[in-house]
Amino acid sequence: MTTTAGPYAGTTRLDARRRALELDDLADEPAVDLLVIGGGVTGAGAALDAAARGLRTVLVEARDLAFGTSRWSSKLVHGGLRYLASGRVGVARESAVERGVLMTRTAPHLVRPMPQLVPLINGLMRPGQASLVRAGFVAGDALRLSAGTPGALLPRVRRVDAGRARQLVPGVRTDGLSGGLVAHDGQLVDDARLVVALARTAAQYGATVLTRMRAEQVTGDSARLTDGLTGQSLTLTARAVVNAGGVWAGEVDPSIRLRPSRGTHLVVDAAALGHPSAALTVPVPGSTSRFVFALPQQLGRVAIGLTDEDAPGPIPDEPQPTDGEITFLLDTVNAALRTMLTRADVRGAYAGLRPLIDTGDGATADLSRRHAVLESPDGVITVVGGKLTTYRRMAQDAVDTAVRLRGLSARACWTSRLPLVGAPAHRDSRPVPADTPGSLLARHGGAAHEVLAAGDPTPIADGLDVTRAEIAYAVSHEGALDADDVLHRRTRIGLVAEDADRARSAVDKLVAATGR
Ligand SMILES: Cc1cc2nc3c(=O)[nH]c(=O)nc-3n(C[C@H](O)[C@H](O)[C@H](O)COP(=O)(O)OP(=O)(O)OC[C@H]3O[C@@H](n4cnc5c(N)ncnc54)[C@H](O)[C@@H]3O)c2cc1C
């Protein structure tokens, strides 16, 4: 088997030239150990897991890395509190363990501890609900402890007075405010960046990562791959095939039955809530376990989510929020705000589909969020369900299954100790000058030095803290093939259409200049 060597051997760099060279390699010898279909967090995680075990691995993604659900999440790396509330201790503990792995070893540069404020406002919660919430947070602390995550990283729940509550979320309603409960969870700077970091680290371990490459006619040991750029096809044979197609998994393997559920977020300016430093957590009227969160984000924004709606029918490329969902989110969060948000405050809105396994009846919010690894009659191994936080465990289970069923020779999984590109312990990470902008560090961690070397550190457009260097780096190192990849998946400028319009012509020029 030939593999691309030269300038790419052992590097995390993904670019158009590497893609072309690796495609040539595959055309010469179209046989590998493992084919992974789908470049979301699950597929990128599986490709890393397999490549790091020494398996010759190819990851194909029909569109772009993180094109699907993995970029529409709440960006929480959560300790599984909501699963605890419904008695699913095993699922909750798995989340808490994986949160600890991400925050302490594999991607501490992408995940920050995020305070979460539940305001204690007269009439906002039902009688006794505040005690229930507190008991849940205490149980969450116990899980954190049992997962070995230090309290210094995720401090335990505490009660704060009204003044501190207002400091954390200046926009919180003050009439009837007696204080708040503050707990901590993990928050990703961006979900799509986690996917890109996984794919790049997989490439470092020898995985071939091909975007714009659709898999069709998928069987347990082969697939027809069609290049979306040239229209050319090749048949790849593999000793095992893993379907990580997310909500599209049933299109890849028709034996899979999913029941997608839509979750919507609104994007508003952080200024509209007084630039909060904590997530405002507001109970949904009539429910004891559902909350709407107003989550501080990069680029000076707050994301307000989330809904949980059955979404039957054909799977759209980009699901759209409904009018009813927007009203529900505004109404719920407004109950805890001093100045109510209106539709005019909504700068953007996005929706994603949860790939839930169809278990028959019942509302989607009640469906199990645990993942499943399933083998179809013709041998395709599908890994589906679960969540962003537990991608590593999902990947491990999928690759373990492939190794067992196909008798592959591979070392044991070691991804819980494997730092992703940009993590402090990653081989290529370097200290950066003290004056490096915090936003650059938050997105790139120890790889920020490479970004600074890639070009101009000035902003791509007025009022946006994304630098021209980051745009160039997205093309030269992060596998972005066009301006949409940059605007919507390497950066999240595209979450607000007006921002994307302002940045587009400069991004177009940089993409053309860097990709040459
Ligand atoms: C609104 C919402 C909020 C969420 N918030 C959180 C959260 O805060 N924390 C958390 O832990 N989890 C969260 N989740 C869950 C989490 O986002 C998902 O479980 C996870 O992103 C699913 O990733 P995936 O890789 O399985 O699927 P996807 O990200 O959808 O990836 C599947 C990929 O397969 C590709 N593909 C499909 N068919 C083919 C084909 N034939 N050939 C090649 N490629 C193909 C698609 O283009 C796509 O990129 C949330 C989910 C939703 C919907």
Side-chain angles (χ1 to χ4, degrees), residues 70-82:
S70 296
R71 68 177 153 137
W72 303 128
S73 81
S74 305
K75 306 170 203 320
L76 294 175
V77 170
H78 52 71
L81 207 54
R82 62 173 297 180

Side-chain angles (χ1 to χ4, degrees), residues 151-165:
L153 187 61
L154 291 173
R156 54 196 325 167
V157 56
R158 67 182 199 284
R159 191 182 157 135
V160 296
D161 63 18
R164 179 66 185 144

Side-chain angles (χ1 to χ4, degrees), residues 38 40-42 61-63 69-70 73-74 76 215 306 387-389:
V41 73
T42 310
E61 161 53 52
R63 291 156 277 214
T69 303
S70 296
S73 81
S74 305
L76 294 175
L306 114 137
K387 50 199 163 290
L388 206 85
T389 307

Side-chain angles (χ1 to χ4, degrees), residues 210-505:
L210 300 171
T211 59
R212 309 292 199 275
M213 188 65 68
R214 180 174 292 279
E216 287 156 316
Q217 302 164 33
V218 179
T219 71
D221 59 10
S222 72
R224 187 89 188 138
L225 305 181
T226 302
D227 184 344
L229 299 180
T230 63
Q232 288 182 344
S233 293
L234 68 96
T235 297
L236 184 73
T237 60
R239 296 184 63 198
V241 174
V242 168
N243 169 16
V247 272
W248 296 275
E251 291 175 10
V252 174
D253 177 348
S255 74
I256 301 297
R257 280 181 49 225
L258 295 179
R259 183 168 171 190
S261 130
R262 189 180 55 251
T264 286
H265 289 88
L266 310 178
V267 182
V268 301
D269 285 333
L273 284 83
H275 296 282
S277 55
L280 180 66
T281 305
V282 187
V284 171
S287 165
T288 47
S289 59
R290 281 192 67 199
F291 297 87
V292 163
F293 301 96
L295 303 151
Q297 304 287 313
Q298 59 166 341
L299 306 179
R301 299 273 146 68
V302 166
I304 299 172
L306 114 137
T307 58
D308 198 334
E309 298 288 327
D310 223 345
I315 311 288
D317 272 6
E318 290 196 4
Q320 295 303 319
T322 63
D323 217 44
E325 287 177 294
I326 296 173
T327 303
F328 162 79
L329 291 171
L330 286 176
D331 286 352
T332 308
V333 79
N334 276 338
L337 293 181
R338 204 159 23 143
T339 307
M340 294 217 184
L341 299 173
T342 68
R343 294 224 168 201
D345 293 302
V346 178
R347 305 287 310 275
Y350 63 89
L353 296 177
R354 299 176 186 85
L356 302 181
I357 299 154
D358 192 352
T359 56
D361 292 341
T364 51
D366 298 320
L367 290 178
S368 170
R369 301 288 204 253
R370 195 163 200 281
H371 63 276
V373 178
L374 311 160
E375 192 198 11
S376 72
D378 61 2
V380 178
I381 297 162
T382 293
V383 51
V384 71
K387 50 199 163 290
L388 206 85
T389 307
T390 54
Y391 80 85
R392 196 203 62 78
R393 188 53 209 251
M394 295 170 69
Q396 174 177 352
D397 289 352
V399 177
D400 275 348
T401 304
V403 166
R404 182 169 46 79
L405 292 177
R406 300 297 132 75
L408 304 179
S409 158
R411 61 179 284 193
C413 173
W414 62 286
T415 48
S416 64
R417 308 187 304 281
L418 195 164
L420 304 187
V421 59
H426 187 271
R427 187 195 64 182
D428 300 338
S429 288
R430 301 277 181 279
V432 286
D435 59 354
T436 305
S439 53
L440 191 73
L441 275 176
R443 291 190 284 264
H444 297 274
H449 69 101
E450 287 181 353
V451 182
L452 290 169
D456 179 355
T458 60
I460 190 69
D462 281 349
L464 285 176
D465 72 15
V466 179
T467 61
R468 288 167 188 274
E470 285 174 274
I471 309 296
Y473 187 76
V475 176
S476 64
H477 286 71
E478 296 183 332
L481 297 179
D482 63 22
D484 279 339
D485 290 356
V486 172
L487 289 167
H488 298 294
R489 287 157 304 260
R490 301 309 176 280
T491 74
R492 300 314 295 275
I493 294 172
L495 284 178
V496 172
E498 248 170 69
D499 289 347
D501 291 346
R502 278 190 303 129
R504 185 169 286 274
S505 81

